Amino acid sequence: MTHQPVVLITGVSSGIGLATAKKFVARGCRVFGTVRNLEKAIPTTGVELVEMDVRSDASVLAGVLNVINRADRIGVLVNNAGFNMVGAVEETTPAEAAALFDTNVLGTLRVSQAVLPHMRTQRRGRIINVSSVLGFLPAPYMGVYAASKHAVEGLSESLDHEVRQFGIRVTLVQPFYTKTNLEANSPQAATSIDDYDRERKAVLHAVSANVSAGDEPAAVANTIVEAAFGPWRMRRTPPGQASLLSKLRRFMPAGPVDKSLRKSLGLG
């Protein structure tokens, strides 16, 4: 790019979003990061904060227009905002599932739709959608979250086919366990069914242990920056466990993969 790259990242308050914003700043980019409440946001050197709630059409359109007015363009969009939910599928109400999909899936859709007219005009751009290993390898007691990431993956592949004629490409980044507050702060389904208690507790314990031993957000951020400026690939997984699981899912028989997943989550 002949001009300073302009990057918009959703959800930069902490975790992967914050680490990614810092990496793009270090790369010499002009970085805009979205937060839901500017008054409560903690400033980060080099990151220009924009108030945006990805669940609101009006808020998304206003936030993107704010960036365009200040920078004239958006070269890279990172759809990172999202949250998890813990609970058996039977325990999760349609209203809870709808709230999660509104952020994880429709949030990605809203922001992409708001940015795309500007990218089409400039005839170039990269959209990076942060998915998850659960987008291709579902886990128990996170079924609705896994479903939302499967939806993001399908949306992303379709979108890439549609917009490549305009010089725009879409990439999925699929992290595994990462040392963020996503799992620690994940809401649990309001309904609790006793029959699921034993396994749910085992899974939560295993997830907590794996998060503690997981990748630093900076490792995922490196992969996102590579997706923005490196050769296009539909899917990118951070080095290590995520990359290994991606290969196992593709090339190993389903039975051994299923057995290994259950064992890793304490389900025997």
Side-chain angles (χ1 to χ4, degrees):
M1 296 182 183
T2 56
H3 303 290
Q4 181 186 31
V6 177
V7 181
L8 173 61
I9 307 166
T10 64
V12 299
S13 297
S14 62
I16 292 171
L18 179 58
T20 300
K22 291 178 178 178
K23 291 287 183 182
F24 276 115
V25 168
R27 179 88 181 221
C29 302
R30 185 172 183 186
V31 179
F32 293 87
T34 77
V35 293
R36 281 192 286 179
N37 190 324
L38 275 176
E39 293 181 358
K40 296 181 179 178
I42 300 172
T44 300
T45 302
V47 180
E48 301 177 51
L49 296 179
V50 177
E51 190 163 276
M52 181 190 292
D53 185 343
V54 300
R55 301 169 299 180
S56 163
D57 294 359
S59 178
V60 167
L61 288 171
V64 170
L65 184 60
N66 185 350
V67 175
I68 294 297
N69 287 339
R70 289 156 66 177
D72 295 325
R73 65 191 184 278
I74 297 171
V76 177
L77 167 63
V78 180
N79 282 307
N80 166 72
F83 71 96
N84 192 3
M85 177 170 286
V86 176
V89 170
E90 187 182 355
E91 296 174 324
T92 309
T93 66
E96 289 171 327
L100 186 142
F101 267 68
D102 197 20
T103 296
N104 292 8
V105 182
L106 298 184
T108 295
L109 177 63
R110 288 186 187 99
V111 182
S112 298
Q113 287 180 335
V115 167
L116 276 168
H118 307 285
M119 287 187 173
R120 280 192 288 106
T121 297
Q122 64 198 21
R123 284 301 195 261
R124 65 170 180 253
R126 287 281 176 104
I127 297 176
I128 295 109
N129 293 332
V130 179
S131 179
S132 167
V133 164
L134 271 67
F136 62 81
L137 185 63
Y141 302 95
M142 287 175 278
V144 175
Y145 177 73
S148 76
K149 293 303 184 181
H150 274 66
V152 167
E153 301 232 342
L155 181 72
S156 300
E157 285 202 54
S158 294
L159 179 60
D160 180 70
H161 282 295
E162 295 163 359
V163 299
R164 66 179 69 174
Q165 62 182 309
F166 310 118
I168 305 164
R169 300 309 300 261
V170 183
T171 291
L172 288 155
V173 170
Q174 302 165 312
F176 193 39
Y177 292 116
T178 309
K179 293 178 182 176
T180 70
N181 294 326
L182 181 67
E183 279 79 12
N185 295 334
S186 296
Q188 291 198 33
T191 301
S192 179
I193 299 173
D194 292 346
D195 283 349
Y196 292 110
D197 283 351
R198 181 185 61 81
E199 282 201 350
R200 190 191 323 101
K201 289 175 182 175
V203 168
L204 288 174
H205 178 76
V207 168
S208 177
N210 281 313
V211 167
S212 297
D215 292 332
E216 295 293 338
V220 182
N222 285 334
T223 303
I224 292 171
V225 173
E226 290 167 8
F229 297 120
W232 176 84
R233 293 208 307 267
M234 187 68 243
R235 286 174 171 79
R236 287 179 178 265
T237 50
Q241 194 82 351
S243 182
L244 175 61
L245 285 171
S246 178
K247 291 180 176 65
L248 289 176
R249 181 64 162 174
R250 262 187 287 170
F251 301 118
M252 287 284 289
V257 173
D258 177 84
K259 184 176 180 180
S260 176
L261 173 66
R262 291 183 61 79
K263 183 177 180 181
S264 72
L265 293 172
L267 302 183

